[in-house]
Amino acid sequence: QLQLVESGGGLVQPGGSLRLSCAASGFSLDYYAIGWFRQAPGKEREGVSCLSSSNGYTYYVDSVKGRFTISRDNAKNTVYLEMNSLKPEDTAVYYCAAKEEAMCLISDRWYDYWGQGTQVTVSS
């Protein structure tokens, strides 16, 4: 069974950092494009970042550029989202998603497999 499991969320003060993990089971992420999305209460799901499976191409939405970093460790079959300088507006449930393609897109319609989400709350 193909499964993605996110972890690493929590409560952090503004300016703090978190590293989210997205572990895959039942398949290898080597040939999968990965996307990270988030959904705040009362808002639509928003694309945050994506990572291609082939050439290391990455994309970040403007609001997180310079603060978030997406990466993968194929040996651990895990993708990460390093989040620094967190702001209250980063508060949301964060989801990872995967598609067996080389190219990543920031559209949630692109992805076939989704994790269950992990809550990130940025508050003092």
Side-chain angles (χ1 to χ4, degrees):
Q1 183 179 358
L2 281 64
Q3 192 174 15
L4 295 171
V5 178
E6 300 96 335
S7 62
L11 173 63
V12 63
Q13 292 187 342
S17 299
L18 285 173
R19 187 177 78 160
L20 305 184
S21 299
C22 172
S25 61
F27 67 107
S28 171
L29 284 176
D30 290 24
Y31 303 104
Y32 282 74
I34 300 297
W36 280 99
F37 295 81
R38 66 186 180 186
Q39 188 165 22
K43 294 188 177 181
E44 293 187 354
R45 188 160 54 190
E46 171 192 29
V48 175
S49 179
C50 74
L51 172 64
S52 72
S53 65
S54 56
N55 59 3
Y57 167 81
T58 58
Y59 173 87
Y60 300 93
V61 69
D62 284 347
S63 60
V64 308
K65 280 181 182 176
R67 300 189 298 122
F68 289 12
T69 303
I70 190 171
S71 62
R72 70 167 75 220
D73 184 336
N74 287 341
K76 294 183 178 180
N77 213 26
T78 299
V79 176
Y80 303 98
L81 185 69
E82 183 78 32
M83 306 187 298
N84 298 313
S85 301
L86 282 162
K87 304 175 181 181
E89 51 263 43
D90 295 318
T91 295
V93 178
Y94 283 71
Y95 301 88
C96 65
K99 182 179 179 71
E100 192 174 9
E101 280 283 350
M103 180 176 62
C104 77
L105 293 177
I106 205 62
S107 168
D108 58 3
R109 298 178 184 179
W110 179 246
Y111 297 92
D112 298 319
Y113 305 106
W114 290 81
Q116 82 291 348
T118 185
Q119 176 70 47
V120 171
T121 303
V122 184
S123 175
S124 55

